[in-house]
Amino acid sequence: MTEHVLAAIDGSQFAEGVCDYAAWASLALKAPLSFVHVVDNHSWAPDEQNLSGSLRFGAREQLMSELSALDEQRAKVNREQGKLMLEAAQSRAEQKGVSSALTRQLNGTLVETLVELEKDVRLLVVGKRGETAHHASGHLGANLERVVREMHRPILMVPKAFKRPDNVLIAFDGSKTARKGVEMLARSPLFAGATCHVLIVGSDTAEHRSELAWALSTLRDSGHQAEGAIRAGEVDDALQVYEQENNIDLLVMGAYGHSRIRHLLVGSTTTAMLRSSRVPVLILR
């Protein structure tokens, strides 16, 4: 089966951004676009309570029956809402030039469903937060971090509003996997015409200068305008400062390796890094 750009759609304020970035990626990669909405009828909101243990005698059976009926009604409403979301996403993609986007509504949990679908995925597009995340705190929730850990396909995490990436930054550490990331960036039609920036976070050593020169040469040989720098400091801080100084529209990071960059993606700071980024983040596998 042809690999698709897969966009995970929900009722959050990030859904339009997911649609627009997915449509852009589909057209740039010349890959089919699929929208998926996952209905998890067994998930409870944090403020919901299970009162069945407090019930006595016949009242328990009666209320359990009523709760069951409410669950069935909620499941039906969720399915109808999902159908409307998918139709809206498909229509929005058509307005962006994608003529035949597919839609799928599946029952289950988000992470497990996406993992099951990944064999046919070229790129997964997800929102910065899901509809159940706490908006006031900016919390991403556990789902996105689990998706990053368990998926083995590139993942594009996007904000609410679309902006065509004209300046792309790749966090580079000289590792074998990071070199593959630069090579992927260089040949990907996703970034045709974009200026590619390379940032190494660490000491200004001869080894780092050699690694930076290789990355810039690889990008320029593929026709990209390329710029780069070596910055001291913490990885997340250095990335954010460079983003702001150079009007970066999209950040590219690898999820493997043994550098400090890797620890951002597999350690406890994963969610903090993704939450703090003001631009889309493409995580390469």
Side-chain angles (χ1 to χ4, degrees), residues 47-256:
D47 57 348
E48 288 184 311
Q49 297 179 352
N50 183 356
L51 301 176
S52 60
S54 304
L55 305 177
R56 292 180 174 82
F57 307 113
R60 182 181 188 279
E61 294 180 0
Q62 179 181 347
L63 188 50
M64 289 301 292
S65 176
E66 293 176 358
L67 289 173
S68 178
L70 287 173
D71 282 343
E72 292 179 7
Q73 183 179 5
R74 180 174 62 176
K76 182 178 179 180
V77 170
N78 287 342
R79 288 192 298 271
E80 290 300 317
Q81 287 179 332
K83 181 181 178 181
L84 293 174
M85 291 178 201
L86 290 170
E87 289 175 352
Q90 188 179 48
S91 176
R92 191 176 182 91
E94 288 178 355
Q95 294 173 13
K96 301 296 181 180
V98 181
S99 59
S100 55
L102 304 176
T103 61
R104 301 178 69 180
Q105 183 167 228
L106 301 172
N107 291 315
T109 59
L110 177 65
V111 178
E112 284 73 13
T113 301
L114 293 178
V115 170
E116 289 175 3
L117 296 174
E118 74 171 348
K119 66 181 183 299
D120 298 321
V121 173
R122 182 170 180 180
L123 173 69
L124 172 66
V125 184
V126 295
K128 187 175 176 181
R129 284 197 300 261
E131 62 185 320
T132 59
H134 194 279
H135 296 282
S137 67
H139 179 54
L140 280 165
N143 274 336
L144 183 56
E145 184 170 354
R146 287 190 59 206
V147 170
V148 170
R149 289 172 181 266
E150 299 187 29
M151 290 286 290
H152 296 86
R153 293 290 189 270
I155 301 168
L156 179 61
M157 183 208 72
V158 304
K160 292 180 287 186
F162 173 78
K163 183 181 186 300
R164 182 178 296 277
D166 294 320
N167 288 285
V168 178
L169 169 63
I170 182 166
F172 186 65
D173 62 7
S175 67
K176 181 179 179 180
T177 303
R179 285 174 175 259
K180 288 182 179 179
V182 169
E183 291 168 346
M184 183 185 300
L185 181 66
R187 65 175 181 265
S188 175
L190 203 59
F191 304 113
T195 299
C196 296
H197 298 251
V198 181
L199 179 63
I200 294 178
V201 181
S203 302
D204 188 359
T205 63
E207 180 181 6
H208 281 161
R209 289 194 293 271
S210 175
E211 291 169 346
L212 179 61
W214 173 87
L216 294 177
S217 175
T218 300
L219 292 165
R220 289 166 181 163
D221 288 347
S222 295
H224 291 282
Q225 181 178 342
E227 303 176 13
I230 300 171
R231 297 281 180 89
E234 296 297 322
V235 175
D236 49 350
D237 293 335
L239 287 172
Q240 289 185 46
V241 170
Y242 191 94
E243 282 179 18
Q244 295 169 4
E245 291 176 351
N246 295 275
N247 297 316
I248 297 300
D249 303 312
L250 187 145
L251 171 64
V252 181
M253 301 186 74
Y256 295 126

